[in-house]
Amino acid sequence: MQEQDDLITRAQAWLAEDPDPETAAELAALIESGDSAELADRFSGTLQFGTAGLRGEIGAGPMRMNRSVVIRAAAGLAAHLKAEGHTGGLVVVGYDARYKSADFARDTAAVMTGAGLRAAVLPRPLPTPVLAYAIRHLGAVAGVEVTASHNPPRDNGYKVYLGDGSQIVSPADTEIAAQIARVTALASVPRPESGWEDLGEEVLEAYLARTDAVLTPGSPRGVRTVYTAMHGVGKDVVMAAFARHGFPAPVLVAEQAEPDPAFPTVAFPNPEEPGAMDLAFAKAAEVLPDIVIANDPDADRCAVAVPDGAASNGWRMLRGDEVGALLAAHLVHKGVSGGDRNSVFAESIVSSSLLGRIAQAAGIGYEETLTGFKWIARVEGLRYGYEEALGYCVDPEGVRDKDGITAALLVAELASELKEQGRTLVDLLDDLAMEHGLHATDQLSVRVSDLSVIAAAMAQLRAQPPVSLAGLRVTSAEDLSRGTESLPPTDGLRYYLEGEYEARVIVRPSGTEPKLKCYLEVVVPVEEAADLAPARTRGQEVLDAIKKDLAAAAGI
């Protein structure tokens, strides 16, 4: 009974200072109903601020995303910036079209202004890459993007960038978290009604002008595209960018073209999820484009699909690793070389090793990083970086983060160039397979409702590492939590396998979703074009066998 009384007392204290009538009413109803289980869940702790900032379901209480949590996070960030000597510095705030995003952005601007910093808010819901660009363009000391990217509709998030335009990494995250913990009552956080700057369209125009750097003057621009914004904020910027550079206007998937925080046509607003691209493929069946391009809701990721007569719907989604390799090959063809001052290609450890082989053949520097563009963007001399989860950084001097807009432009340029030669993206993938071997990749991804399932699986693999998978001998088993010569510690396991083929497996908990993710790769040698189809079949067979054995080893 004492525990229940304490829970009600904490909930009432939170309610008393909740500035949002919607979440206040929600919490009052929970208190009135005596729903102790729901209250206990919402007051079991606080959303933790980490290198991904904040992300969670919208609702009342410290374990949800709401204005109270955001105001505290903004106050902690402001205190951190001032402690670092940035008093009076500019903080740029961007936001997407999710529920509460505009409110969270306005609260952030008010808190920054009240703390003696300067704040500027983007003019409307815009892609995350525009915010990442604006930080460097305006000389800001930090930036905040309110977005949950491709999470479910009821989620929102709070992503923090530093003045170099890249996302925060440790120790900045722990220092900001410590400052957040020092915030007491919300009344102690000054929040003026005005004083920040509402930016105009000129910041978007500057971003669009910067996209000129991605393309080669006079390059072919004839590719025909179907495009979906996945109910997010990418449409206007993509259409403006394609028009600016002389590409045919993409045919829109009308049902998903405009921002809608309910994401009514998809279970998860992520191009990688089953069914998310169905409407795009249906539109492609009508208009017969050369390629299909999709952004996720905040348009920092880019998905690509190609015609495939063997597929039931006539289209095949390219894996992020395939697009990553295509863009790398295109950049090499455009003249990026090891003689350039900034010419390093980089990727996260969960991405295909094919990028390293492309870089080596071209005499270009190559680096692996931990998962996330917060690490890729910090590679010295970076010219191009990608991650298998559809993220590509093709202009690091402009945007030090993944950018689904400029990636779409570069894909369109490559597809146009190949089209002029009577070739396709698939033809180029075949060339790369014959030169470097077929790099077949796949994922074993397990979504859980109980996070202890993930912890148990990781513990089991650490206690009893597999000695073989799919008949391939495990020659190296690394516990990445201990760090390596080139990587800081992270919660992950990496296995290298040898036998008839070389293979690699990485197992890690997702940093943004309740998932255990296993990344698989097998390299099948290819001597000539006739070997390609059998190699693909064999590669998938080995990947399927690895999945089965790995699931058994992890107890999932």
Side-chain angles (χ1 to χ4, degrees), residues 92-97 122-138 143-150 159 161-162 164-167 199 203-211 214 227 229 232-235 237-238 241 294-302 373 390-409:
V92 188
V93 185
Y95 59 103
D96 66 10
L122 294 186
R124 53 191 168 89
L126 286 168
T128 293
V130 178
L131 180 277
Y133 166 81
I135 295 166
R136 293 164 67 85
H137 175 65
L138 297 174
V144 171
E145 177 71 13
V146 180
T147 181
S149 190
H150 56 269
K159 186 183 293 188
Y161 295 77
L162 296 180
D164 62 355
S166 58
Q167 297 175 47
L199 295 168
V203 69
L204 177 57
E205 289 303 317
Y207 168 82
L208 288 168
R210 175 69 204 184
T211 63
V214 176
Y227 171 75
V233 296
K235 185 255 294 181
V237 183
V238 165
N295 286 138
D296 66 339
D298 69 326
D300 62 353
R301 289 173 171 82
C302 177
F373 269 82
L390 309 182
Y392 315 95
C393 175
V394 300
D395 178 26
E397 288 305 304
V399 176
R400 284 203 166 272
D401 197 7
K402 55 187 176 293
D403 183 346
I405 311 295
T406 50
L409 288 173

Side-chain angles (χ1 to χ4, degrees), residues 66 119 328 428 439 492:
N66 51 64
L428 181 52
H439 289 62

Side-chain angles (χ1 to χ4, degrees), residues 14 41-57 61-66 69-70 72-73 156-160 168 172-182 451 511-512:
W14 185 275
D41 182 52
R42 293 171 183 241
F43 286 84
S44 60
T46 59
L47 280 184
Q48 292 302 299
F49 189 95
T51 53
L54 293 168
R55 195 172 290 187
E57 184 179 347
M63 286 296 289
R64 299 289 188 270
M65 282 294 296
N66 51 64
V69 165
V70 165
R72 286 182 165 83
N156 212 328
Y158 198 80
K159 186 183 293 188
V160 177
I168 57 169
D173 58 338
T174 55
E175 292 168 357
I176 294 169
Q179 294 286 4
I180 294 171
R182 293 189 181 101
L451 292 177
T512 57

Side-chain angles (χ1 to χ4, degrees), residues 97-123:
R98 283 179 176 267
Y99 295 118
K100 301 290 183 182
S101 285
D103 293 337
F104 296 166
R106 184 182 185 280
D107 282 332
T108 299
V111 171
M112 296 301 159
T113 303
L117 293 146
R118 293 181 294 125
V121 183
L122 294 186

Side-chain angles (χ1 to χ4, degrees), residues 444 460-461 466 468-472 497 520 542-556:
L444 171 62
Q460 182 163 321
L461 288 171
S468 70
L469 296 168
L472 303 176
L497 300 87
L520 323 174
V542 176
L543 290 170
D544 289 343
I546 291 175
K547 277 188 191 181
K548 181 179 178 181
D549 291 352
L550 183 62
I556 53 177

Side-chain angles (χ1 to χ4, degrees), residues 25 39 191 206 253 296 311 344 355 361 387 400 417 479 489 515 529 533:
L39 287 171
R191 286 181 288 137
V253 179
D296 66 339
V344 176
L355 182 68
E387 191 157 72
R400 284 203 166 272
E417 186 176 289
D479 186 343
K515 285 183 177 181

